[in-house]
Amino acid sequence: MTDRTGNPGNDETVITKTRPKTQRPPMYKVLLLNDDYTPMEFVVHILERFFGLTHAQAFEIMLTVHKKGLAVVGVFSFEVAETKVAQVMDFARRHQHPLQCTMEKD
């Protein structure tokens, strides 16, 4: 005597695979802040060197920083943004300029 219900030999087991939804990492804006002492040419050089911008792009962003007080230079993952900020700050300090570069969550 068996205690089965259903049809023998008709195994209707359904296997579902759940894939965890991966989220994009949060992005961070890198900002340059205006000051009254850092030469405009130095800011253009920083933008070309550390952010890979063309001279025209760097000049345009430098003018935005100069006129508006700050500008977004790029949007990166946390680690990349942190590295860029550190590189810019270190380079500015070594050249004795008070240029400020920060990051904030996008």
Side-chain angles (χ1 to χ4, degrees):
M1 190 175 242
T2 60
D3 207 13
R4 285 189 188 168
T5 55
N7 300 334
N10 188 7
D11 191 5
E12 293 186 23
T13 305
V14 177
I15 299 174
T16 58
K17 291 185 180 179
T18 347
R19 297 179 110 194
K21 289 188 178 183
T22 55
Q23 293 181 342
R24 289 189 156 279
M27 301 301 277
Y28 291 81
K29 295 186 279 192
V30 175
L31 307 162
L32 274 183
L33 307 174
N34 189 35
D35 65 74
D36 294 332
Y37 303 101
T38 305
M40 292 179 177
E41 298 80 24
F42 185 78
V43 175
V44 170
H45 178 70
I46 288 231
L47 293 167
E48 291 172 345
R49 179 174 179 159
F50 296 108
F51 297 94
L53 300 175
T54 65
H55 185 75
Q57 292 169 324
F59 192 81
E60 190 176 319
I61 290 176
M62 176 276 298
L63 283 179
T64 302
V65 171
H66 181 69
K67 291 177 182 176
K68 294 187 177 182
L70 68 103
V72 175
V73 181
V75 180
F76 309 95
S77 67
F78 178 81
E79 291 80 10
V80 173
E82 187 177 49
T83 300
K84 299 250 185 224
V85 168
Q87 288 173 330
V88 168
M89 294 296 291
D90 181 56
F91 192 75
R93 296 298 161 264
R94 282 190 282 135
H95 289 86
Q96 299 178 343
H97 294 298
L99 182 66
Q100 292 293 306
C101 185
T102 61
M103 60 188 262
E104 66 181 34
K105 202 168 189 175
D106 191 25

